[in-house]
Structures are given as C-alpha cells and as structure tokens.
Amino acid sequence: MKSENTPFVGGPLDGRELQVLVGPTGQPPKWYEVPVPDEKGGPPTVYTYERVPAGHTKRLGLPRGWRYVYVPEGREPRKWPWTKPKPKPEP
C-alpha cells in the first residue's frame, strides 16, 4: 500500500507528521481517528482529525497536499439519504 507523510495541526498530535495510507485515488481518508486507551480500563478517548487542503495551486486552485486539523467536538454521525429527518419539537 502507498502512504504519504501528512502533518497534523492542533490537539495532542500538533506539529507531528505521520505516514497515512492513501486510497486508490491517492488521497488520505477524510477523517483520521486516534483512539487512546484509558488508564483505568474505561472506554478509550478518541481524538478526531479532519482532512483539509494544505494549499492550492495558483492557476486552477487545485489542492496541493493535505493536512489534518483537530476537531475537538468529534465527528458528526453519518446521515443516510433515505432516512427520515427527526420531527422538530413544537413549542
């Protein structure tokens, strides 16, 4: 498998550059989650990072490389297009 060095910004991995596996399109995954085990044996803490472009080319504005930015509130649950929206509570 192919990998590329990707910098991390914010959170516990701030300033580090890790090798991240890339997919068939040559891009790293949209989200990168780092589980950290709890010392007391509880559920692990998960640090979430989102992929953003590291820069853009001048002429076409294409992304030039990627980096991961820390998202403290975590990742939103996936929404499938065929699920019904939850009804809003009436005041």
Side-chain angles (χ1 to χ4, degrees):
M1 300 240 31
K2 190 175 179 184
S3 63
E4 67 178 39
N5 290 336
T6 309
F8 285 77
V9 178
L13 296 178
D14 188 26
R16 294 187 185 176
E17 192 169 290
L18 300 176
Q19 284 195 347
V20 177
L21 293 175
V22 295
T25 61
Q27 295 182 359
K30 178 76 174 153
W31 293 92
Y32 192 84
E33 297 177 341
V34 182
V36 178
D38 188 33
E39 294 177 3
K40 298 177 183 175
T45 303
V46 179
Y47 297 112
T48 308
Y49 289 86
E50 183 179 13
R51 182 191 72 197
V52 295
H56 293 87
T57 59
K58 288 184 178 182
R59 296 189 90 186
L60 298 176
L62 299 173
R64 179 181 290 175
W66 302 98
R67 65 183 176 149
Y68 282 104
V69 176
Y70 179 63
V71 181
E73 58 272 357
R75 180 179 181 176
E76 287 185 14
R78 293 183 179 166
K79 296 179 184 176
W80 300 104
W82 55 83
T83 57
K84 293 181 181 177
K86 292 182 180 179
K88 295 181 182 178
E90 295 184 27

